[in-house]
Amino acid sequence: PRAISEPVSAAQVAPTLLALAGVRHDGVLPDLLRRGARAGIVPVGVDKTDAVISYFRGKPEDWETGLPTYSKIVYAGLWPGIDLAYYGTADRLKYEFIVHPGGNPADIQLEYKYADVNVTNNSIQLSTPMGQVNEQNLYVYRTDNNQQVPANYVQNGNIVSINTNTVAGTTLVIDPPLYWSTYWGSAG
């Protein structure tokens, strides 16, 4: 077996984060494409934990053992001036966009495949053959004073973008609350 010390692939990150968040994952996800995002961004682990994981798939020489785990995974610069971070809370997987000074929230374009998309009352509802996924009550705030900034989702077919104002020299966090439990049923 070989130990992996380089960054872990996104295919390894997602199941790990779902497990850490206490979410049952059956391998059926609506595809989410980040339109206009830079290709080849490697996720970086933030806040290393004491836990390690291993993958025993295929032949022993293909096993991956002793992989480090992190409390947060960040895709830095996914769009110019915008990072995407994933992390688990006590009962769910969360993600947020960090819009640094000079970044434009309108660049964030999320294209959903294999799901019907409906934006209503500042929430996204995804309908799939397996059930519903809901992103409710979009929350955007400034990091310098934690004040909420008005924002809303904009739908164009199966593409959803975010409309909000930026403040020069200020970092914004776009925090869409995602409720997986209506889709997979989580413990909690």
Side-chain angles (χ1 to χ4, degrees):
R2 59 188 171 90
I4 303 297
S5 59
E6 64 266 16
V8 178
S9 73
Q12 295 168 327
V13 168
T16 303
L17 283 174
L18 289 170
L20 289 173
V23 176
R24 185 172 52 85
H25 169 55
D26 294 331
V28 182
L29 293 168
D31 279 352
L32 171 61
L33 304 176
R34 293 171 277 296
R35 292 177 57 92
R38 290 181 23 207
I41 301 292
V42 176
V44 175
V46 177
D47 299 330
K48 188 175 181 178
T49 69
D50 292 332
V52 295
I53 58 173
S54 298
Y55 292 93
F56 300 104
R57 293 183 285 206
K59 300 175 188 171
E61 59 267 18
D62 295 330
W63 293 353
E64 298 175 282
T65 61
L67 299 172
T69 61
Y70 301 88
S71 60
K72 183 183 278 191
I73 302 295
V74 177
Y75 292 82
L78 195 56
W79 290 277
I82 302 172
D83 301 340
L84 171 60
Y86 289 98
Y87 57 95
T89 66
D91 62 349
R92 66 182 42 110
L93 176 66
K94 298 254 321 146
Y95 74 95
E96 62 190 17
F97 299 101
I98 300 96
V99 182
H100 300 283
N104 183 355
D107 289 345
I108 301 169
Q109 304 236 342
L110 307 175
E111 180 179 4
Y112 295 91
K113 291 193 166 212
Y114 313 115
D116 293 326
V117 180
N118 187 29
V119 173
T120 58
N121 298 324
N122 212 24
S123 298
I124 301 173
Q125 289 83 40
L126 303 176
S127 297
T128 75
M130 300 297 292
Q132 300 287 319
V133 176
N134 297 303
E135 297 189 29
Q136 300 178 347
N137 304 321
L138 177 63
Y139 182 68
V140 178
Y141 64 94
R142 296 172 49 165
T143 59
D144 62 337
N145 61 13
N146 291 326
Q147 287 187 340
Q148 186 171 356
V149 176
N152 62 290
Y153 291 115
V154 177
Q155 181 179 1
N156 183 8
N158 65 335
I159 299 170
V160 176
S161 58
I162 298 167
N163 179 36
T164 189
N165 294 322
T166 58
V167 178
T170 300
T171 298
L172 295 179
V173 174
I174 299 172
D175 184 6
L178 178 61
Y179 294 95
W180 297 90
S181 59
T182 58
Y183 188 71
W184 286 284
S186 70

